[in-house]
Amino acid sequence: ANELKAAIAKFELKLRGNPPGVEKKQVFSNSQNYHRKRLALTTTESLIFIEPETILYCEGSSNYTYFHLTLNNRKILVAKTLKEIEEILVNYGFFRIHNSHLVNMSHVKEFVRGSGGYVVMTNGSNLTVSRSRRDEFFSLFSKF
């Protein structure tokens, strides 16, 4: 049991980026300050620092995830699964609408009911919303 607690604590430190001995800070759970945080995307060539609000959506492809950004329709490939990315970005206002798509809710412009249902993003991309996630997706909005 103690080994499990130690492993979890070590993992949390790794997620937060704090070296041992440095006071722990709540990085991902402070929802009021999430827009001030920056993320480091590890690519094969470099480490790219971005603000979460510049991410339109993430697209999973096997053990890789493409980050679609607002700036110049830039697309960055990261060697992490969409599930791993979701665990972090859900605290930044992202929602998994499909097995292969995690969207920034502030960039969802419209939901279209035809063809099974899809969202239109602020850059014009159309992304399918799976039937199993539709009700939870709608619950995130106030409807009139």
Side-chain angles (χ1 to χ4, degrees), residues 1-13 24:
N2 286 338
E3 290 174 17
L4 178 61
K5 286 180 185 176
I8 290 171
K10 185 176 177 182
F11 178 73
E12 287 176 342
L13 282 174
K24 290 183 185 181

Side-chain angles (χ1 to χ4, degrees), residues 6-129:
I8 290 171
K10 185 176 177 182
F11 178 73
E12 287 176 342
L13 282 174
K14 185 178 177 182
L15 275 180
R16 293 185 180 110
N18 291 332
V22 174
E23 182 182 333
K24 290 183 185 181
K25 274 174 100 176
Q26 289 287 53
V27 174
F28 299 122
S29 63
N30 190 347
S31 61
Q32 287 198 335
N33 292 323
Y34 78 84
H35 61 281
R36 293 188 200 141
K37 305 296 180 197
R38 295 181 76 198
L39 303 171
L41 303 183
T42 306
T43 70
T44 54
E45 309 87 41
S46 64
L47 208 54
I48 300 170
F49 300 99
I50 62 167
E51 288 78 25
E53 59 270 15
T54 64
I55 303 168
L56 288 161
Y57 63 94
C58 298
E59 179 181 8
S61 178
S62 187
N63 291 326
Y64 297 91
T65 299
Y66 288 96
F67 282 74
H68 294 263
L69 305 181
T70 57
L71 187 61
N72 301 326
N73 286 324
R74 187 172 182 191
K75 190 160 88 168
I76 299 171
L77 180 64
V78 174
K80 296 264 186 215
T81 65
L82 192 58
K83 182 176 173 44
E84 292 173 291
I85 302 299
E86 178 185 18
E87 289 172 3
I88 294 168
L89 291 184
V90 71
N91 296 306
Y92 289 88
F94 284 73
F95 181 76
R96 183 97 172 248
I97 60 168
H98 190 274
N99 278 344
S100 58
H101 289 108
L102 177 70
V103 299
N104 184 338
M105 293 300 287
S106 63
H107 286 287
V108 173
K109 188 166 74 172
E110 180 180 4
F111 176 81
V112 180
R113 292 186 179 146
S115 304
Y118 61 91
V119 292
V120 179
M121 303 301 291
T122 54
N123 72 339
S125 297
N126 296 339
L127 306 173
T128 301
V129 179

